[in-house]
Amino acid sequence: MLRAENLTKRYRQGEKEVVALEGFTYTFPRGATAIVGPSGSGKTTLLNLLAGLDLPTEGGVYLGEIPLHRLSEDERSEARLKHMGFVFQQWNLIPTLTAWENVAFPLLLAGWPPAKRRARALALLEGVGLSQRAHHLPNRLSGGEQQRVALARALALDPPILFADEPTGNLDAEAKEEMAALLFQAGKERTLILVTHDLELAARAERILHLKGGRLLREEVPRKVP
Amino acid sequence: MEVFYLVLRNLLARPVRSLLTLLGVLIATASMVLFLSFGEGLRRALFQELSRVGPAIQVVPEGSEGLAFSAYPEITPTQVEALKRAAEALGAQAVIPTLFLARGGLDPQNSFFFQGLPPGVSPDLLYPGLRAKEGRLLPSKGGAVVGAKLAERTGLAVGSPLRLSPQVTLKVEGILEESGGLADNLIFAPLKALQMVLGTENVGAVLVALSPDKKAEEVARALERAVPGLKAQTTGEVMRFAERALRISDLVRFGISLVALAVGGLLVANTVMMSVYERTREFGVMRALGAKRGFIFRLVVLEALFLALLGGVGGLALGGVASQAINLYTQSEVGLALSAVTPRLSLFALLVALSLGLLAGLLPAHQASRIPVVEALGRV
């Protein structure tokens, strides 16, 4: 379970102090939570803080009982490796590694033996329908395929928390639908935190958090279409 | 897919840049190996020669220690007589006054090195194992015996005249078999004839042969006490002196090769720095996925070390080939292999190349591992 308490992030821009996020308090339950809001509302800042990629000016993030914001850089890296998976908007695959090697990368960090890494990576790629593309470099894959590789990579160590930042932002309609299906399927058994502009995508989550001006405006439970 | 594999994949992804950097390190290492191989070659040639010299002690004028024979003969007949008496009293087997004379120019093809021998002293007493291929081994009063390589190089044959001065002309009486040492490039001539050429009765050195039961160091010190103004050196002392001199020259040559090494190091640093700059986002992704700072640091340092190691091994091989080529030339010209790539030089070159890689990789690795994840990911 991931909990944010009075999460605040301020930074200086020249002489001016900018408040990117202020007093955000929320406990993320299992299932999909979408975070929506206009540009500059603090969505990316919030995700950075929740994932321990950045540190808050005030408040804290708790991973179960672990205060993520009090850990060192390397301890936060280890926490991310063990507990979190990421799917970014820009795919962010390692360009010199093939699809299966990209998926196996977190397993390498976790110290898995080579044969197990390969088997797990190939199984995950099969799960996202890319077993035929396992040995291709990222530049030989389409945008949708790259995003599915990124999802497989995020799931490599079966993390309880999955972050997705605009995961369908760069995809065409068909690839977007494929990706959304896979993402929400993966999010069923874990805490999925989805940052998006896309209200249609957000509506598929179990709850939506609306941010504006760095503040949590409201929480909404979308009406499901029967 | 281990860390090393990641390094390799990254270097192969930018083949031209990696190859050019590799060549830079390779050439820098090869030039260092070649520079230092001269010291190793000289060391090896010198020690081989000294180990072939028969007499255990060489007496030379004070101030010319280390040079087995002084450039100009300074030991007077009185000093030679005093040495003979002292050496006999100390149980020496033979006392051989000698001197060297060089004739010719800078061109090795036209250079002649004479060693003077007293009457009745055969060259094989000084260089054990020498044998005549043609003619005689012991030159007569007006004769000379020529080393194998010198004869081959200059075309001297038995019966050839050797004009040393208007007054002194010798006749070649023997050609020696090749021994692989200094004697191959010498002409052995009567001591008196060489003294006449130089217009002196002095000699350059006195060689003292001992029986195996005598301790050379003790006899040498006793000789110095008996005849002031002279320095008696054992073979070991000459070797130690030569080693000191060679070390200084090694340092000078290493200093020169440092310029090439610095250029090679900067090339590696530049390549790795460029690579770090281009891969900032990639490192950010790795960190976001759970890589610790040390992982990124190792990745970058290993890249620099790998380039340096490959360049070092290649440079060593190239230096070795160049050293062989130089030896082919110097052996044909002066009969000596002046360059040697010894195991310790090889090890030193590899260590220097690796240190270079490490130094060149440290700063980029530090930078790569310290960049904040959100900045690296462009998520600020």
Side-chain angles (χ1 to χ4, degrees), chain A residues 100-116:
Chain A
W100 83 262
E101 288 166 343
N102 264 287
V103 176
F105 186 76
L107 305 170
L108 168 80
L109 296 177
W112 283 38
K116 280 184 78 179

Side-chain angles (χ1 to χ4, degrees), chain B residues 184-206:
Chain B
D184 290 345
N185 293 290
L186 288 177
I187 300 174
F188 296 96
L191 181 63
K192 276 279 170 219
L194 301 188
Q195 285 173 324
M196 201 180 291
V197 172
L198 291 169
T200 179
E201 292 194 339
N202 292 353
V203 295
V206 178

Side-chain angles (χ1 to χ4, degrees), chain B residues 316-376:
Chain B
L316 190 57
L318 183 65
V321 169
S323 162
Q324 288 297 318
I326 285 169
N327 280 344
L328 278 177
Y329 177 74
T330 58
Q331 271 175 325
S332 72
E333 291 295 310
V334 293
L336 286 173
L338 289 180
S339 168
V341 180
T342 56
R344 72 172 187 168
L345 173 57
S346 307
L347 188 67
F348 178 73
L350 287 180
L351 283 176
V352 168
L354 280 175
S355 309
L356 199 71
L358 188 65
L359 276 176
L362 282 177
L363 181 66
H366 180 77
Q367 286 191 342
S369 65
R370 291 280 148 182
I371 186 163
V373 188
V374 284
E375 269 182 40

Side-chain angles (χ1 to χ4, degrees), chain A residues 27-75:
Chain A
T27 300
F28 292 86
R30 182 176 285 206
T33 304
I35 300 169
V36 297
S39 294
S41 61
K43 302 188 298 292
T44 298
T45 303
L46 176 60
L47 194 142
N48 288 344
L49 296 174
L50 292 172
L53 297 173
D54 202 359
L55 289 173
T57 315
E58 280 170 36
V61 177
Y62 295 86
L63 188 63
E65 294 306 311
I66 305 167
L68 198 59
H69 57 288
R70 292 216 184 101
L71 301 182
S72 69
E73 280 261 10
D74 277 354
E75 286 168 337

Side-chain angles (χ1 to χ4, degrees), chain A residues 168-180:
Chain A
T168 57
N170 288 344
L171 305 182
D172 59 35
E174 193 184 339
K176 179 179 154 182
E177 184 48 42
E178 268 180 359
M179 184 65 201

Side-chain angles (χ1 to χ4, degrees), chain A residues 126-156:
Chain A
E126 196 174 351
V128 295
L130 285 176
S131 50
Q132 300 300 313
R133 315 286 276 163
H135 300 281
H136 287 70
L137 286 171
N139 61 7
R140 311 294 295 174
L141 301 174
S142 70
E145 286 171 335
Q146 289 193 49
Q147 198 62 307
R148 280 187 279 156
V149 173
L151 177 62
R153 181 177 66 184
L155 300 176

